[in-house]
Amino acid sequence: MRFEAPTTVSAAVKLLAGNLCNASPAADSVPALVAAGASAVIAGLRGKRTVPVETVATGPGKTSLKKGEMVEAILLPKRPPRSGDAYLRFIPRSEMDIAVVGVGVSMTLDAKGICTAARVALGAVAERVILVPDAAKALIGTTVDADALERLAAAASAACRPIDDKRGTKEFRIKVAGVLARRAAETALKRARGM
C-alpha cells in the first residue's frame, strides 16, 4: 500500500482529525501536533469550542468529544522566528507500520541561540499521547548542548508509562523514548538555526 499526501487543506484536516479522534496512543501525527501547541476546533449541536490537541484523547480509543461533536479544524499557532520542530518514531518495520515510540519536539531560540520555549510530546508510551514539561524544561535557558540533551532524554524516559506488547517491552520503550527525544531535539535545533 502506498501513502499519498493529501491534495487539499480539507483532506489534510480530515487525515489529522481522523488520526486524533482514533485516539490511538501510537498515532503518528498527534505527538507532533501536541509538541507544536496545536488546538482542535470541536463543533457540535451546542456550538463550537477550541481545546488543546492533547486533551482530545483520554485513553486508548476514547476521546473527550461529547455525543454529536466532531473535530472541525486543527489550528497551529504562528511560529516565531528561529523555531524548529521534529517528529521521529521507531517502528518494527518487519511487522507493522505502528510506532513503538513516537516523539515530537518543538523549540524556539533567541538571537543568541538560547532556547526560550520548548514542548516535548511522547506517543505509544502511555495510555495516550503525553506532553512532558520536564523534558521541555531541560532545554529552556540552554543552548541545547550535550548536558541539556542528556537531561531531556532522562526526563522523556522518566515520563513513560508503557505496556509490554508484541511491538516492544516496557524497558525497550523507555530507553527508545529517551534516544528519540534527543534525536528529535537535535533535528528541531538544526531547523531553528535555519540549517
Side-chain angles (χ1 to χ4, degrees):
M1 183 154 112
R2 195 174 89 179
F3 173 77
E4 300 211 13
T7 56
T8 66
V9 172
S10 177
V13 170
K14 287 178 186 176
L15 181 68
L16 292 173
N19 204 351
L20 177 62
C21 293
N22 187 40
S24 168
D28 278 329
S29 60
V30 180
L33 290 171
V34 170
S39 298
V41 178
I42 311 296
L45 299 174
R46 295 186 178 168
K48 295 182 185 181
R49 59 191 173 100
T50 302
V51 300
V53 164
E54 59 267 26
T55 66
V56 174
T58 58
K62 297 178 182 177
T63 71
S64 60
L65 300 178
K66 296 174 177 67
K67 187 175 181 178
E69 288 187 325
M70 60 183 248
V71 174
E72 178 182 78
I74 303 289
L75 306 176
L76 290 166
K78 185 176 178 183
R79 306 300 290 141
R82 294 178 297 277
S83 293
D85 300 88
Y87 173 74
L88 294 176
R89 69 182 181 146
F90 178 84
I91 60 169
R93 183 60 78 178
S94 63
E95 291 182 37
M96 60 188 79
D97 193 15
I98 299 173
V100 174
V101 176
V103 180
V105 175
S106 178
M107 72 173 70
T108 300
L109 308 176
D110 68 12
K112 295 180 180 179
I114 304 295
C115 180
T116 58
R119 286 173 62 97
V120 179
L122 303 175
V125 296
E127 65 283 355
R128 60 188 176 91
V129 172
I130 55 173
L131 188 61
V132 187
D134 286 342
K137 286 178 192 173
L139 301 175
I140 296 171
T142 75
T143 57
V144 191
D145 58 14
D147 288 340
L149 290 169
E150 189 61 35
R151 290 191 306 274
L152 161 79
S157 290
C160 295
R161 305 182 300 270
I163 60 168
D164 287 319
D165 67 15
K166 68 179 184 174
R167 292 177 293 136
T169 64
K170 292 177 188 179
E171 294 79 14
F172 179 74
R173 283 188 160 114
I174 290 168
K175 175 71 174 171
V176 170
V179 171
L180 286 183
R182 173 191 290 269
R183 290 180 185 171
E186 289 170 336
T187 299
L189 178 63
K190 286 179 186 173
R191 291 173 177 166
R193 289 176 174 165
M195 302 173 134

